[in-house]
Amino acid sequence: MSANARRTATRRTATLLLGAVLVALSATACNSTGGSSVSTEAKQPAATAGSEAAKPAGSKPADTAKAPAKVGDTIALKGNDPADTADVTLVKVVDNAEGEDEFTHPADGKRFVSIQFRIKASGKKAYSDAPGNGAKVVDAQGQAFGSTVATTKAGPGFQVPANIAPGESALGFVTFEVPKDAQLDKAQFGLDSGFAPQTGQWKLG
């Protein structure tokens, strides 16, 4: 079997695995109750006793209006299971990413955008999912684009599935194939392959 054929077979296998995960988790989502929400609030560092003591007596609380999360920020996310939570950080965006090898190219009129996420399993339950299933990018017109199985020279992607023990984290790129002229405005990420009741959203640019 040629190298090109092996790569094609590997990508088909990955696509089938992602599809299987989606089907299984969609069944879970259908059984869950409650609405869904989009969180744009970055997780703040925990305040220390010293910093609280340093505040002048009678000082007013800080302005509660918060800017939307951006590249470098972490959002605390919840899954369908209360024990399934994760702190997700959008680490880096590589626009016009180059395919990993000579056989990997975006379709005509498209470009690759690779986004690096760090996922920390913050709850009692391990994170076990295909991260690309729960990620998307949104352009300035509100059009959303899901991930592709293509890999780029931006860096390594996540293992599929990504299994992260409680308290531990994993780092990886998720790649999207978008129109060349698309002006990307936001990136989104959700647990349970995107079927969780909460979605994190970061402002790009």
Side-chain angles (χ1 to χ4, degrees), residues 87-165:
D87 291 342
V88 180
T89 307
L90 194 159
V91 179
K92 183 190 301 185
V93 178
V94 180
D95 205 343
N96 284 305
E98 186 178 350
E100 185 179 39
D101 53 49
E102 59 183 308
F103 305 105
T104 306
H105 304 283
D108 290 345
K110 302 288 186 69
R111 74 183 195 269
F112 286 144
V113 177
S114 292
I115 296 182
Q116 189 179 45
F117 291 96
R118 182 181 298 279
I119 305 170
K120 180 179 180 180
S122 59
K124 297 179 180 179
K125 187 177 177 181
Y127 174 96
S128 183
D129 199 1
N133 287 348
K136 67 178 71 172
V137 289
V138 183
D139 69 11
Q141 297 180 2
Q143 298 178 107
F145 305 93
S147 64
T148 175
V149 296
T151 52
T152 71
K153 292 183 179 178
F158 290 98
Q159 293 294 311
V160 179
N163 294 305
I164 308 170

